PDB file of all heavy atoms in Angstrom:
ATOM      1  N   VAL A1325     -12.018   0.226  -8.411  1.00 94.00           N
ATOM      2  CA  VAL A1325     -12.233  -1.115  -8.966  1.00 94.00           C
ATOM      3  C   VAL A1325     -10.935  -1.911  -8.922  1.00 94.00           C
ATOM      4  O   VAL A1325     -10.918  -3.066  -8.490  1.00 94.00           O
ATOM      5  CB  VAL A1325     -12.798  -1.039 -10.405  1.00 94.00           C
ATOM      6  CG1 VAL A1325     -12.707  -2.378 -11.108  1.00 94.00           C
ATOM      7  CG2 VAL A1325     -14.245  -0.560 -10.381  1.00 94.00           C
ATOM      8  N   LEU A1326      -9.836  -1.316  -9.345  1.00 95.00           N
ATOM      9  CA  LEU A1326      -8.556  -2.026  -9.336  1.00 95.00           C
ATOM     10  C   LEU A1326      -8.139  -2.397  -7.916  1.00 95.00           C
ATOM     11  O   LEU A1326      -7.672  -3.511  -7.677  1.00 95.00           O
ATOM     12  CB  LEU A1326      -7.471  -1.174 -10.002  1.00 95.00           C
ATOM     13  CG  LEU A1326      -7.599  -1.027 -11.511  1.00 95.00           C
ATOM     14  CD1 LEU A1326      -6.640   0.049 -12.025  1.00 95.00           C
ATOM     15  CD2 LEU A1326      -7.337  -2.352 -12.201  1.00 95.00           C
ATOM     16  N   VAL A1327      -8.320  -1.490  -6.983  1.00 96.00           N
ATOM     17  CA  VAL A1327      -7.954  -1.769  -5.589  1.00 96.00           C
ATOM     18  C   VAL A1327      -8.851  -2.861  -5.020  1.00 96.00           C
ATOM     19  O   VAL A1327      -8.375  -3.769  -4.332  1.00 96.00           O
ATOM     20  CB  VAL A1327      -7.989  -0.481  -4.741  1.00 96.00           C
ATOM     21  CG1 VAL A1327      -7.825  -0.790  -3.261  1.00 96.00           C
ATOM     22  CG2 VAL A1327      -6.898   0.482  -5.195  1.00 96.00           C
ATOM     23  N   GLU A1328     -10.131  -2.821  -5.325  1.00 95.00           N
ATOM     24  CA  GLU A1328     -11.048  -3.863  -4.829  1.00 95.00           C
ATOM     25  C   GLU A1328     -10.725  -5.219  -5.446  1.00 95.00           C
ATOM     26  O   GLU A1328     -10.788  -6.244  -4.772  1.00 95.00           O
ATOM     27  CB  GLU A1328     -12.505  -3.473  -5.082  1.00 95.00           C
ATOM     28  CG  GLU A1328     -13.020  -2.413  -4.134  1.00 95.00           C
ATOM     29  CD  GLU A1328     -12.790  -2.759  -2.672  1.00 95.00           C
ATOM     30  OE1 GLU A1328     -13.129  -3.879  -2.240  1.00 95.00           O
ATOM     31  OE2 GLU A1328     -12.245  -1.897  -1.952  1.00 95.00           O
ATOM     32  N   GLN A1329     -10.388  -5.227  -6.726  1.00 96.00           N
ATOM     33  CA  GLN A1329      -9.986  -6.486  -7.358  1.00 96.00           C
ATOM     34  C   GLN A1329      -8.723  -7.027  -6.687  1.00 96.00           C
ATOM     35  O   GLN A1329      -8.591  -8.233  -6.479  1.00 96.00           O
ATOM     36  CB  GLN A1329      -9.748  -6.288  -8.854  1.00 96.00           C
ATOM     37  CG  GLN A1329     -11.019  -6.085  -9.635  1.00 96.00           C
ATOM     38  CD  GLN A1329     -10.751  -5.762 -11.097  1.00 96.00           C
ATOM     39  OE1 GLN A1329      -9.626  -5.439 -11.499  1.00 96.00           O
ATOM     40  NE2 GLN A1329     -11.794  -5.854 -11.916  1.00 96.00           N
ATOM     41  N   ALA A1330      -7.811  -6.134  -6.332  1.00 96.00           N
ATOM     42  CA  ALA A1330      -6.590  -6.559  -5.636  1.00 96.00           C
ATOM     43  C   ALA A1330      -6.927  -7.113  -4.255  1.00 96.00           C
ATOM     44  O   ALA A1330      -6.351  -8.123  -3.831  1.00 96.00           O
ATOM     45  CB  ALA A1330      -5.620  -5.382  -5.516  1.00 96.00           C
ATOM     46  N   ARG A1331      -7.848  -6.470  -3.555  1.00 96.00           N
ATOM     47  CA  ARG A1331      -8.267  -6.980  -2.240  1.00 96.00           C
ATOM     48  C   ARG A1331      -8.853  -8.386  -2.374  1.00 96.00           C
ATOM     49  O   ARG A1331      -8.582  -9.264  -1.554  1.00 96.00           O
ATOM     50  CB  ARG A1331      -9.299  -6.050  -1.599  1.00 96.00           C
ATOM     51  CG  ARG A1331      -8.732  -4.768  -1.067  1.00 96.00           C
ATOM     52  CD  ARG A1331      -9.840  -3.952  -0.385  1.00 96.00           C
ATOM     53  NE  ARG A1331      -9.428  -2.616  -0.092  1.00 96.00           N
ATOM     54  CZ  ARG A1331      -8.682  -2.266   0.948  1.00 96.00           C
ATOM     55  NH1 ARG A1331      -8.287  -3.169   1.808  1.00 96.00           N
ATOM     56  NH2 ARG A1331      -8.342  -0.998   1.140  1.00 96.00           N
ATOM     57  N   ASP A1332      -9.655  -8.593  -3.406  1.00 97.00           N
ATOM     58  CA  ASP A1332     -10.223  -9.927  -3.643  1.00 97.00           C
ATOM     59  C   ASP A1332      -9.110 -10.943  -3.907  1.00 97.00           C
ATOM     60  O   ASP A1332      -9.153 -12.067  -3.397  1.00 97.00           O
ATOM     61  CB  ASP A1332     -11.185  -9.906  -4.835  1.00 97.00           C
ATOM     62  CG  ASP A1332     -12.482  -9.156  -4.537  1.00 97.00           C
ATOM     63  OD1 ASP A1332     -12.795  -8.914  -3.341  1.00 97.00           O
ATOM     64  OD2 ASP A1332     -13.179  -8.788  -5.514  1.00 97.00           O
ATOM     65  N   ALA A1333      -8.120 -10.555  -4.689  1.00 97.00           N
ATOM     66  CA  ALA A1333      -6.997 -11.452  -4.976  1.00 97.00           C
ATOM     67  C   ALA A1333      -6.237 -11.786  -3.693  1.00 97.00           C
ATOM     68  O   ALA A1333      -5.839 -12.934  -3.484  1.00 97.00           O
ATOM     69  CB  ALA A1333      -6.065 -10.815  -6.007  1.00 97.00           C
ATOM     70  N   ILE A1334      -6.061 -10.792  -2.819  1.00 95.00           N
ATOM     71  CA  ILE A1334      -5.393 -11.029  -1.539  1.00 95.00           C
ATOM     72  C   ILE A1334      -6.183 -12.041  -0.725  1.00 95.00           C
ATOM     73  O   ILE A1334      -5.614 -12.977  -0.159  1.00 95.00           O
ATOM     74  CB  ILE A1334      -5.203  -9.701  -0.762  1.00 95.00           C
ATOM     75  CG1 ILE A1334      -4.191  -8.804  -1.484  1.00 95.00           C
ATOM     76  CG2 ILE A1334      -4.762  -9.971   0.674  1.00 95.00           C
ATOM     77  CD1 ILE A1334      -4.175  -7.363  -0.988  1.00 95.00           C
ATOM     78  N   GLN A1335      -7.494 -11.873  -0.694  1.00 96.00           N
ATOM     79  CA  GLN A1335      -8.350 -12.801   0.064  1.00 96.00           C
ATOM     80  C   GLN A1335      -8.249 -14.225  -0.467  1.00 96.00           C
ATOM     81  O   GLN A1335      -8.302 -15.177   0.294  1.00 96.00           O
ATOM     82  CB  GLN A1335      -9.810 -12.332   0.008  1.00 96.00           C
ATOM     83  CG  GLN A1335     -10.054 -11.043   0.735  1.00 96.00           C
ATOM     84  CD  GLN A1335     -10.921 -11.250   1.937  1.00 96.00           C
ATOM     85  OE1 GLN A1335     -11.713 -12.166   1.980  1.00 96.00           O
ATOM     86  NE2 GLN A1335     -10.752 -10.391   2.925  1.00 96.00           N
ATOM     87  N   ARG A1336      -8.089 -14.347  -1.774  1.00 96.00           N
ATOM     88  CA  ARG A1336      -7.949 -15.678  -2.386  1.00 96.00           C
ATOM     89  C   ARG A1336      -6.536 -16.229  -2.232  1.00 96.00           C
ATOM     90  O   ARG A1336      -6.273 -17.370  -2.594  1.00 96.00           O
ATOM     91  CB  ARG A1336      -8.269 -15.608  -3.892  1.00 96.00           C
ATOM     92  CG  ARG A1336      -9.690 -15.334  -4.254  1.00 96.00           C
ATOM     93  CD  ARG A1336      -9.934 -15.521  -5.756  1.00 96.00           C
ATOM     94  NE  ARG A1336      -8.947 -14.910  -6.624  1.00 96.00           N
ATOM     95  CZ  ARG A1336      -8.992 -13.671  -7.101  1.00 96.00           C
ATOM     96  NH1 ARG A1336      -9.997 -12.874  -6.783  1.00 96.00           N
ATOM     97  NH2 ARG A1336      -8.042 -13.221  -7.908  1.00 96.00           N
TER      98      ARG A1336
END
Side-chain angles (χ1 to χ4, degrees):
V1325 166
L1326 289 169
V1327 171
E1328 285 308 310
Q1329 288 175 346
R1331 286 183 192 280
D1332 289 344
I1334 292 167
Q1335 293 247 333
R1336 291 190 314 271

